[in-house]
Amino acid sequence: MATIAFIGLGNMGGPMAANLVKAGHSVKGFDLSADILKTAAGNGISPVTSLDEAVAGADAVVTMLPKGAHVLSVWGALVKAATAGTLLIDCSTIDVESARKAHELAAGAGCLSLDAPVSGGTGGASAGTLTFMAGGSDAAFASAKPLLEAMGRKIVHCGGDGAGQAAKICNNMILGISMIGVCEAFALGEKLGLSHQALFDVASTSSGQCWSINTYCPVPGPVPTSPANNDYKPGFAAALMLKDLKLAQEAALAAGAATPLGAEAAQLFDLFDKQGNGGRDFSAIIEMLRG
Ligand code: NAD
């Protein structure tokens, strides 16, 4: 069993670190919030008060932080304290460029590194059923896989440095666009006098089927577990969808890729967020689209 340092024990990192403990690993946790450290201690994580203390004697370090700037600042400190050969895994959702810079920091210190963002939300983090999209060398992936398996169900090696982040933002761009498409279709169906159930029964079994309708239908009724049945409590908050769509737009600009629908989706979620809906589930955008 490994000794693991876990940095960033928030909504996602807290339950992920707890699952590493459940799998028998020894986990040291660091977070800027004292309250979060106290909760983590209740889940068998040993709280530490500095990054140096976290990394001392650790075989692997996992980071789960808000943005690229946080990851680069924490990894900058980690590589100074880590011994060569330590495995660094970043599970945050960040921009591809920062992810590649983080890999460079690790390589400079002789550490193995992986970008491994996740899909599955806080429910998947608690249940240990996350999907990991990993980018990095074969050696880093092989070394990280048993740890990722303690926190997730599906682990995909997407390619070299930054490939995990690239897969994550491409996937979430599909999701943002498809949810808007499904919402528009239901709003149009309402105006045409079509019941939600009738449109669902047809589209979920025909060429319109997709995750946004079959699993996460944005109107109450057809899929009882979708947030639409629970006053659009997240689920997946609209602010996080906006974050991911903006990351996709940054990456598209840098790579010279045309993503007109991705750009439109980012603008619509930006407007929805500015109307005070960032904390609601992203499928609630149907209310804005109804006009
Ligand atoms: P969160 O805000 O709940 O947790 C982030 C934690 O990082 C906080 O506890 C904060 O105190 C800590 N932190 C910030 N800077 C730090 C530093 N320098 N040193 C130590 N700790 C520091 O956020 P979250 O919802 O857990 O999301 C984390 C990442 O996971 C984000 O990149 C997010 O986009 C991604 N993500 C979130 C979800 C979700 O449903 N919440 C789903 C998939 C991916």
Side-chain angles (χ1 to χ4, degrees):
M1 285 297 134
T3 298
I4 302 162
F6 207 112
I7 319 297
L9 298 162
N11 292 324
M12 294 293 290
M16 288 165 71
N19 280 330
L20 288 170
V21 173
K22 280 185 206 147
H25 299 291
S26 163
V27 182
K28 298 193 270 182
F30 178 68
D31 195 286
L32 296 179
S33 154
D35 285 348
I36 280 182
L37 274 182
K38 210 181 278 177
T39 306
N43 290 327
I45 295 151
S46 310
V48 295
T49 52
S50 72
L51 289 173
D52 281 3
E53 208 185 325
V55 87
D59 305 301
V61 184
V62 183
T63 49
M64 193 51 167
L65 299 163
K67 290 186 177 168
H70 303 99
V71 174
L72 286 178
S73 137
V74 167
W75 277 44
L78 287 176
V79 294
K80 287 191 188 127
T83 51
T86 306
L87 170 66
L88 306 183
I89 307 171
D90 179 45
C91 295
S92 327
T93 302
I94 64 169
D95 57 291
V96 177
E97 203 188 325
S98 295
R100 291 188 177 139
K101 281 189 189 149
H103 280 283
E104 282 167 21
L105 284 172
C111 294
L112 287 172
S113 57
L114 205 69
D115 54 290
V118 302
S119 172
T122 51
S126 298
T129 55
L130 294 169
T131 294
F132 284 89
M133 300 148 238
S137 66
D138 289 345
F141 182 72
S143 173
K145 198 162 177 251
L147 303 185
L148 302 182
E149 281 169 346
M151 301 182 281
R153 192 152 54 191
K154 176 98 182 146
I155 324 288
V156 184
H157 191 189
C158 300
D161 297 356
Q165 296 296 349
K168 165 83 187 182
I169 57 175
C170 288
N171 177 71
N172 279 21
M173 188 174 80
I174 296 171
L175 176 61
I177 293 170
S178 72
M179 180 53 81
I180 288 170
V182 169
C183 288
E184 284 189 359
F186 272 94
L188 173 61
E190 287 165 2
K191 292 246 185 326
L192 298 176
L194 203 53
S195 77
H196 290 159
Q197 192 63 47
L199 178 54
F200 176 84
D201 287 345
V202 172
S204 66
T205 53
S206 319
S207 45
Q209 64 183 274
C210 61
W211 189 89
S212 294
I213 185 163
N214 288 44
T215 308
Y216 216 80
C217 190
V219 294
V223 177
T225 51
S226 82
N229 299 284
N230 194 19
D231 202 20
Y232 296 101
K233 284 204 186 76
F236 185 43
L240 285 174
M241 172 51 82
L242 175 60
K243 173 193 168 182
D244 293 354
L245 287 170
K246 282 182 171 169
L247 289 176
Q249 285 310 292
E250 273 174 47
L253 193 65
T259 54
L261 288 182
E264 187 63 34
Q267 279 189 19
L268 286 168
F269 274 102
D270 190 40
L271 182 60
F272 188 57
D273 183 59
K274 288 199 170 102
Q275 291 176 350
N277 294 302
R280 301 176 74 203
D281 188 77
F282 80 116
S283 61
I285 198 167
I286 191 170
E287 291 178 355
M288 185 181 90
L289 294 169
R290 281 186 181 115

